[in-house]
Amino acid sequence: MMKKKTLPNSSSQEPNLKGTIISVSIVGFIIVASWFAVFGLFLSR
Amino acid sequence: MAIEKLLKYEQDSRFPLTLSKSESRLYMSFISFAFIALFVGGLMGLLQVLVRSGYYTLPAGIDYYQVLTVHGVVLGLVLTTYFIIGFQYTLMGKTVGISDTQYRVAWLGFWVMTLGTVMAAITILYGKASVLYTFYAPLQAHPAFYIGLALVIIGSWIACFVNWRQLYVWKKKHPGEKSPLLAFMVVINMIMWFIATLGVAASVLLQFIPWSLGYAATIDVLLSRTLFWYFGHPLVYFWLLPAYMAWYAIIPKIIGGKIFSDSLARLSFVLFLFFSIPVGLHHQLTEPGVQTTWKFVQIILTFMVVVPSLMTAFSMFATFEISGRRKGFGGLFGWFVHLPWKDVRFLAPFVGMLAFIPGGAGGLINASYQLNSVIHNTIWVTGHFHLTVATTVILTFFGITYWLVPHLTGRKLTPSVNRLGIIQTIFWAIGMTIMSAAMHIQGLLGGPRRSSFSEYNGSEQVAEWGAYQVAQAIGGTILFIGIVLMIYIFIKLAFFSPKGNEEFPIAEEEKDAEPTPMWLEKWKLWVAITIALILFAYTIPIMDIIQHAPPGSAPFAWPIGNN
């Protein structure tokens, strides 16, 4: 079994940005969802 | 790529510089002019929504399109340009300083712009220029309107030259150092503004002025519209980038945090410079006479703006999260709690940021070919830019006003004005949510933008619009109360608040931040790439438009325009 690689020490100081990535993903989702909503309207007309 | 790093910038010993009394007077002149424009333009907005509700008729034979022109020109062109130039001067004054000569030239720019604004305003007030802020040909205004606009542009160019000179002189004195972040951002915005306004200046000087003076019998309508939108889209980013300056480099200080990444902020501004200008054709997707291929190319370039926009969103959330976690707020979204919700200097811009989520989503819908055909020339578009410029940008500008005006006038932002500011922000958020949502929905139902109230001979479709038009009148009235509150706050901060020293918040980098790489300062390269992209996106379509031009149009001064 391969030995699990450990990350270098410096990464332990990296800030925790979980909330940020989820927030930006939500923004991305809203953009895509609105786009498809109007695209649906375009197709239906 | 060069890995040479710039010398560490010793922020604390270099800036913020102190603004002298005479400097403050110059900056306050620009900002005060913007607030006069806010009141005049806002009042016109109120009249418009009331007329469009169908329950109100303008008195004394005042024309709806005259009111609409005042609203667009005064808010879209005058308020924004004056506030931005004034704010940017303060940023330059704080970070790189201003010399006596630059100061005198800056005043010259103010007076040239003001002369132009007064000329344009008089023609509009006399009903000689009811051509809306887009001044589309073949509607023809009085020549003084176009000459006035040209003077406003020339005055703003003077501000460009001063800002560039300010950074140039600073860099000569500090060889090998990276330019201060805010000065870097101001110079990027003014490069974009200068390149963009060349298009509208060419159109005004070579097409509109000779045509309105009668030297040219006809005008090439398509060329004039194309040159307008070559300017019109970067205009949107000229409004937005100063708001981003505050988000990137001022808000972190207000919330007690640090700049997330100096390099990311600079890179996003460089990308905005690249992708703001060669994209104007996405405003002309229904325009006959422009090849589909070139519309497609410019749509792709438009979508590139998603990259720096999401970089900005990421950077903002990261600033909030990092500073919250440092203060001990854990969990996935616990950091959200720490934000200074009761500080209007933060709350107003934050509401602006939130508005940019639907604003940005709407922008991508507008720029998509098929989707544009659903909303083109409908009031959806009006709803869209009332989210972007009239909420995101203006609430950030209000957020800046709360500390900038007392800083310039030697006064303090008091707790009572702060509280009033929070109420103002809430009024704005509620009013705009109602008005803009109603505009978006009415647009999807086919309601036109620009035009005055009409029942269109009782058509069935029109019956669906009524409730939304009334909602716009309600939202618009709430917004007007917000404007009156803001004017009161401005006067209070400028003349009546207690004397003191209000902080000019400029955020710093982390002490152990990665140094900003040297290549971000390659100004000539950024300008060359910008010009190359513009030449790529515009050369063939404009040659086509000129070579295959239909017969030019004679002027139409009636039913609106100049009568």
Side-chain angles (χ1 to χ4, degrees):
Chain A
M1 204 173 162
M2 265 181 74
K3 221 178 169 184
K4 210 176 172 184
K5 275 186 182 172
T6 48
L7 292 165
N9 279 345
S10 62
S11 70
S12 61
Q13 292 164 2
E14 286 287 316
N16 178 354
L17 291 176
K18 272 188 195 159
T20 300
I21 196 71
I22 292 173
S23 307
V24 177
S25 304
I26 293 170
V27 172
F29 175 77
I30 293 172
I31 292 173
V32 172
S34 334
W35 196 93
F36 277 102
V38 180
F39 187 59
L41 207 53
F42 168 74
L43 291 178
S44 70
R45 282 179 180 175
Chain B
M1 196 145 293
I3 51 163
E4 186 186 349
K5 306 287 183 187
L6 287 160
L7 290 174
K8 188 91 181 143
Y9 187 64
E10 295 166 8
Q11 282 180 326
D12 296 342
S13 63
R14 300 290 169 84
F15 76 87
L17 303 167
T18 311
L19 302 178
S20 71
K21 273 200 167 171
S22 52
E23 263 180 79
S24 298
R25 208 170 302 128
L26 168 69
Y27 309 150
M28 270 303 285
S29 302
F30 278 100
I31 291 167
S32 307
F33 209 96
F35 275 90
I36 296 169
L38 174 69
F39 183 74
V40 175
L43 182 63
M44 298 301 129
L46 175 67
L47 295 177
Q48 276 163 250
V49 286
L50 293 178
V51 169
R52 281 186 66 114
S53 74
Y55 293 103
Y56 176 76
T57 315
L58 286 168
I62 299 171
D63 179 43
Y64 175 84
Y65 296 97
Q66 187 181 359
V67 169
L68 181 57
T69 306
V70 175
H71 181 74
V73 171
V74 161
L75 295 184
L77 301 177
V78 177
L79 177 154
T80 49
T81 311
Y82 274 82
F83 189 92
I84 289 166
I85 291 179
F87 173 52
Q88 291 188 155
Y89 270 134
T90 67
L91 298 177
M92 296 302 275
K94 273 282 172 190
T95 55
V96 295
I98 188 165
S99 73
D100 288 345
T101 315
Q102 290 157 7
Y103 170 79
R104 280 194 295 273
V105 178
W107 267 119
L108 175 71
F110 174 83
W111 288 116
V112 173
M113 276 175 69
T114 305
L115 175 66
T117 304
V118 170
M119 278 177 74
I122 291 173
T123 54
I124 299 170
L125 291 176
Y126 275 92
K128 299 288 174 191
S130 299
V131 290
L132 318 193
Y133 97 101
T134 43
F135 56 93
Y136 278 168
L139 290 179
Q140 193 187 60
H142 190 278
F145 174 77
Y146 302 114
I147 296 167
L149 286 185
L151 287 173
V152 173
I153 294 167
I154 292 166
S156 73
W157 285 351
I158 295 175
C160 292
F161 302 144
V162 173
N163 290 153
W164 298 339
R165 179 79 191 163
Q166 282 174 286
L167 184 60
Y168 177 80
V169 171
W170 186 92
K171 283 187 83 71
K172 283 279 165 206
K173 280 189 202 155
H174 302 86
E177 287 183 28
K178 69 174 176 185
S179 31
L181 177 59
L182 284 164
F184 179 95
M185 291 169 155
V186 169
V187 169
I188 289 267
N189 198 27
M190 289 313 239
I191 293 173
M192 186 186 73
W193 176 250
F194 183 76
I195 298 175
T197 44
L198 288 174
V200 74
S203 176
V204 167
L205 292 176
L206 304 174
Q207 292 191 285
F208 281 98
I209 292 178
W211 177 64
S212 64
L213 288 169
Y215 296 132
T218 61
I219 190 165
D220 183 336
V221 172
L222 179 54
L223 181 62
S224 74
R225 285 159 66 103
T226 306
L227 288 171
F228 179 85
W229 285 114
Y230 165 89
F231 151 81
H233 193 74
L235 171 68
V236 175
Y237 280 91
F238 176 69
W239 297 332
L240 204 53
L241 290 192
Y244 283 4
M245 293 172 200
W247 295 4
Y248 272 114
I250 285 166
I251 294 291
K253 177 80 172 178
I254 292 173
I255 66 163
K258 301 278 184 188
I259 291 173
F260 171 64
S261 164
D262 180 276
S263 311
L264 180 144
R266 286 174 203 249
L267 182 62
S268 81
F269 267 62
V270 171
L271 293 175
F272 279 122
L273 173 65
F274 291 166
F275 300 117
S276 292
I277 309 172
V279 298
L281 286 186
H282 77 236
H283 288 260
Q284 296 173 275
L285 292 178
T286 59
E287 193 93 70
V290 180
Q291 275 185 13
T292 311
T293 315
W294 291 103
K295 290 177 182 170
F296 177 73
V297 166
Q298 294 209 11
I299 287 173
I300 299 294
L301 289 167
T302 307
F303 271 66
M304 293 299 289
V305 179
V306 174
V307 177
S309 301
L310 285 180
M311 278 164 71
T312 305
F314 186 89
S315 188
M316 288 308 109
F317 284 121
T319 308
F320 299 156
E321 183 166 8
I322 292 170
S323 55
R325 288 192 187 283
R326 252 186 217 151
K327 289 176 188 167
F329 292 87
L332 207 51
F333 292 107
W335 46 272
F336 211 66
V337 180
H338 90 97
L339 294 168
W341 300 110
K342 289 180 179 169
D343 185 343
V344 71
R345 300 173 307 159
F346 166 76
L347 182 71
F350 183 83
V351 174
M353 290 177 198
L354 283 186
F356 206 56
I357 299 171
L364 291 177
I365 289 165
N366 300 346
S368 303
Y369 215 141
Q370 290 80 358
L371 276 60
N372 184 273
S373 67
V374 178
I375 53 85
H376 198 91
N377 268 344
T378 71
I379 199 159
W380 157 290
V381 180
T382 318
H384 163 72
F385 64 70
H386 277 80
L387 281 181
T388 53
V389 65
T391 311
T392 302
V393 171
I394 211 73
L395 276 183
T396 304
F397 288 0
F398 290 168
I400 292 165
T401 301
Y402 294 112
W403 53 263
L404 182 60
V405 169
H407 181 89
L408 293 174
T409 54
R411 296 177 188 277
K412 290 287 288 177
L413 167 63
T414 57
S416 63
V417 173
N418 184 69
R419 210 171 313 122
L420 203 55
I422 289 171
I423 295 169
Q424 199 282 337
T425 308
I426 294 169
F427 262 83
W428 203 271
I430 294 172
M432 194 57 88
T433 304
I434 296 171
M435 189 178 87
S436 176
M439 285 174 163
H440 276 90
I441 299 169
Q442 195 196 337
L444 290 175
L445 296 172
R449 67 187 283 201
R450 298 195 182 95
S451 49
S452 185
F453 179 78
S454 169
E455 288 173 331
Y456 297 92
N457 276 334
S459 127
E460 202 179 309
Q461 193 185 1
V462 176
E464 297 175 356
W465 301 341
Y468 297 103
Q469 288 173 167
V470 172
Q472 286 158 38
I474 295 167
T477 308
I478 297 171
L479 282 165
F480 185 70
I481 297 169
I483 287 178
V484 173
L485 270 176
M486 196 61 217
I487 298 290
Y488 172 78
I489 290 169
F490 173 77
I491 293 171
K492 185 105 176 156
L493 289 172
F495 303 106
F496 301 108
S497 274
K499 295 269 180 194
N501 189 11
E502 186 64 39
E503 182 196 18
F504 193 118
I506 297 180
E508 290 164 11
E509 284 184 76
E510 299 282 359
K511 285 225 161 20
D512 56 350
E514 286 279 318
T516 305
M518 179 70 140
W519 56 263
L520 280 165
E521 295 261 353
K522 289 193 180 296
W523 293 101
K524 284 177 191 159
L525 181 63
W526 303 150
V527 173
I529 293 174
T530 306
I531 293 172
L533 281 170
I534 293 168
L535 290 176
F536 164 65
Y538 268 113
T539 307
I540 296 176
I542 288 195
M543 275 169 55
D544 253 3
I545 288 168
I546 294 171
Q547 276 178 350
H548 305 293
S553 176
F556 282 74
W558 184 90
I560 62 171
N562 177 4
N563 57 68

